[in-house]
Structures are given as C-alpha cells and as structure tokens.
Amino acid sequence: MLLKTWHIFRGVFSLAGMTLCILILILEIKGLPENLILGLRQKLDSPHLNFSIGEVHVGPISGIKINNISVTDDSQEKAIYQAGKIQVLFNLADLSQGLFTPESLQVRNANFNLKLKHGNEEEYLLVNQVNLNAKLLDQKTLKVNYFTCNTKNL
C-alpha cells in the first residue's frame, strides 16, 4: 500500500513538474498573451502618460524582455521614450531561492525626447540610438560594459 501511494505521489509531482517546465518554455519563447500585456499597459497608463508595449517575454533564462515599448505624454508632440528592446536578467542562484535579484540590463535602439522649458522658450533634448549593456555587481555598483548614443540640442 505504501509503495502504491509513493508511485501515485511521484507521478503527480512528475506531471506537475513537466507542466511547469512547459509553461516556462511557452512564456520564454512565445511571451505573455495579448490580454495580459493590455492589462499591464492599462496599469501603467496615467492621465497624461500612455504606454505601448509590443511583446513581453518572461523566463529564468531570458529574464524579462520587453520589445517595442514607447511612452508618450499628451502635452508633448513626440514620444518621451521609445526602445526596440529592454531586457533585465536575474541571478539564477537567487532566482532558485525565490529572490528576483537583477544581474544585468540591456537596452537596444532607444530614443529619449524631453521637452525643456526655460521661461517662454521650449526645446527638445533628443537622445537617439541609445544602446546600453550594464551589469549590477552589487547593490551599489553598476558596471557599464557598453553605452552609445547620439544627442541633439545638448
């Protein structure tokens, strides 16, 4: 009887483990479903800021990867921020313990457009083609491995 219970118990946990692995692979490869991305966008939106998100991939290997994100402000003519890809990777040892410790940050093809005002004068600070690869060494130290950008009106 004990052996039979053990086989059932082992079978249920094996099935649960395989289901979890398949779910992780789906989120890693296919990304979050559209309705979850829409819900995320609605949570982020505020009266003057609007967010647009193309795809969100989540997984232990690729971390959190957001493709085609933009932030617009109703008071500005241009998007405040736009990026082709933002990716945050997590420490796998900490992740296995349930801790989400960021390990590195990658930003690809980002653009910033900030409206600057001085008295009656307005001008945009444009930072284009931002590419960043940085690693978090500890809680207070960020090592920038790679950073490039073009600026206008600086």
Side-chain angles (χ1 to χ4, degrees), residues 4-16:
K4 194 174 201 175
T5 304
W6 169 248
H7 285 293
I8 292 171
F9 184 73
R10 188 179 66 180
V12 167
F13 275 106
S14 295
L15 185 60

Side-chain angles (χ1 to χ4, degrees), residues 46-73:
S46 67
H48 298 288
L49 293 178
N50 299 308
F51 290 79
S52 173
I53 301 171
E55 296 177 333
V56 178
H57 296 265
V58 179
I61 306 300
S62 68
I64 297 174
K65 183 169 55 170
I66 303 171
N67 294 327
N68 302 322
I69 183 170
S70 67
V71 181
T72 56
D73 184 353

Side-chain angles (χ1 to χ4, degrees), residues 36-97:
L36 287 178
I37 294 174
L38 178 62
L40 177 65
R41 241 190 61 221
Q42 289 172 343
K43 282 286 189 190
L44 292 172
D45 281 347
S46 67
H48 298 288
L49 293 178
N50 299 308
F51 290 79
S52 173
I53 301 171
E55 296 177 333
V56 178
H57 296 265
V58 179
I61 306 300
S62 68
I64 297 174
K65 183 169 55 170
I66 303 171
N67 294 327
N68 302 322
I69 183 170
S70 67
V71 181
T72 56
D73 184 353
D74 295 340
S75 67
Q76 288 191 190
E77 301 158 4
K78 302 177 181 182
I80 295 174
Y81 178 77
Q82 177 277 324
K85 179 178 104 171
I86 300 173
Q87 185 171 14
V88 179
L89 298 173
F90 297 98
N91 184 310
L92 289 176
D94 289 351
L95 197 58
S96 66
Q97 298 173 12

